[in-house]
Amino acid sequence: MKEANRLTRLWQDHGPNTYPLDISKLIDGALQNSDFGGELKTKIGSYDSFEGCLVRTKNTDKWTILLNSEIENKRRQRFTYAHELGHFMCHRGLRDRFEDSDDTLNDFRDKIETEANVFASWLLMPANLLRDEFSGIGWNTDSLCEIGNRFECSLQASALRFVGLSSKPVAFIVSRDGMVVWGSKSKSAPYISAFCFGDELPKASHALTAHLNGESCTLPQDSGFAWNEFRSANESQYFDYSGRGYQYTCIEFVG
Ligand SMILES: [Zn+2]
């Protein structure tokens, strides 16, 4: 977080301060303003074994970020780029090579992978901009898509960031085949009845109905006490058919 905030200040106070962030430009500016005397280059190519990689040229201070051009989802490639920059900023003293695949980019148990993911989402979606531009919005799949478009980030990364920053009682649930994969909620959100890996979507929720009916998206609607027996909520759905069949549910508690 500290490194991401430092680069954010550099970009906002002394750089172009435009978003979506131009990562290549940021790297050039950041290196000029640092004590680091080496080199950091970026190469895009076709690689078999990873989505992104940070590697040191043996016995030198020359580093290269390799990005796999086969990743068709450009938002995912951007996030991977920021993730590799995170390894460079925070971890380059630990190893000479960091390879990232789908598994490591989604590994929230490994400390350094989590740190690189936190770095990436804080860098691409800075708190001050998110608060300035989105603090007043209702939490639903339309606003989620707006945030994703504003910062050119995946919906999952956008939701994690928004929910983590929000002062309202909001939550985000990722599910597949009617079962929760993971969930995230703001500090002020109450207990949520289906939140952990393997939980079944609540029987009275629109999320379950939408899943059973094969709907592709739903507008925000009142789901009563489906998610918490004492607090009612509005919820809306979005289905990601491009990925692995994930269903995203935005929940905003009312009252
Ligand atoms: Zn990594």
Side-chain angles (χ1 to χ4, degrees):
M1 287 177 205
K2 209 175 101 193
E3 286 300 321
N5 285 339
R6 199 167 64 76
L7 289 191
T8 296
R9 278 198 301 278
L10 187 68
W11 182 255
Q12 293 187 350
D13 298 343
H14 305 287
N17 191 18
T18 49
Y19 288 86
L21 180 83
D22 183 333
I23 302 173
S24 299
K25 238 185 211 173
L26 173 76
I27 289 177
D28 292 343
L31 290 187
Q32 279 169 18
N33 279 280
S34 74
D35 301 332
F36 178 66
E39 205 177 84
L40 176 63
K41 283 191 199 158
T42 305
K43 276 190 195 162
I44 298 178
S46 176
Y47 308 103
D48 285 340
S49 57
F50 55 79
E51 292 198 13
C53 178
L54 171 72
V55 58
R56 181 207 288 261
T57 308
K58 215 176 172 188
N59 300 325
T60 68
D61 237 351
K62 292 183 178 165
W63 292 82
T64 310
I65 291 175
L66 304 170
L67 293 174
N68 197 335
S69 57
E70 305 289 312
I71 308 300
E72 285 173 10
N73 185 332
K74 292 298 158 205
R75 292 185 183 191
R76 186 158 160 177
Q77 200 184 64
R78 256 170 73 72
F79 194 85
T80 305
Y81 194 2
H83 177 105
E84 299 310 332
L85 179 59
H87 283 318
F88 175 80
M89 298 300 298
C90 311
H91 308 131
R92 67 178 185 268
L94 303 175
R95 289 189 216 152
D96 288 345
R97 187 179 177 91
F98 300 82
E99 264 193 35
D100 286 294
S101 61
D102 192 32
D103 289 340
T104 57
L105 290 164
N106 289 297
D107 190 341
F108 294 99
R109 286 160 300 177
D110 183 281
K111 185 170 172 277
I112 74 163
E113 295 311 332
T114 305
E115 282 179 1
N117 281 335
V118 167
F119 173 90
S121 53
W122 283 60
L123 183 71
L124 297 175
M125 294 172 276
N128 59 349
L129 268 196
L130 253 178
R131 286 201 182 103
D132 286 354
E133 296 183 20
F134 294 101
S135 65
I137 59 165
W139 179 234
N140 54 56
T141 48
D142 279 350
S143 43
L144 172 62
C145 292
E146 262 178 56
I147 296 170
N149 291 339
R150 172 69 178 97
F151 297 106
E152 274 180 22
C153 284
S154 74
L155 297 183
Q156 297 201 19
S158 304
L160 257 181
R161 191 75 178 106
F162 179 84
V163 165
L165 277 171
S166 183
S167 56
K168 294 178 180 173
V170 293
F172 180 68
I173 303 288
V174 178
S175 60
R176 186 165 49 183
D177 301 328
M179 312 268 258
V180 174
V181 178
W182 57 266
S184 172
K185 63 189 180 103
S186 64
K187 280 194 187 118
S188 61
Y191 168 82
I192 291 176
S193 55
F195 191 69
C196 298
F197 179 81
D199 287 348
E200 289 177 19
L201 291 175
K203 286 204 169 56
S205 67
H206 293 300
L208 183 62
T209 312
H211 159 66
L212 295 173
N213 293 346
E215 289 172 57
S216 61
C217 68
T218 66
L219 297 169
Q221 42 195 333
D222 180 0
S223 61
F225 299 93
W227 296 91
N228 177 292
E229 58 180 314
F230 304 109
R231 296 277 297 270
S232 63
N234 290 319
E235 57 165 298
S236 54
Q237 317 293 321
Y238 184 92
F239 288 79
D240 179 14
Y241 291 115
S242 65
R244 286 159 292 178
Y246 287 130
Q247 175 181 359
Y248 304 143
T249 303
C250 292
I251 302 168
E252 180 161 23
F253 288 93
V254 291

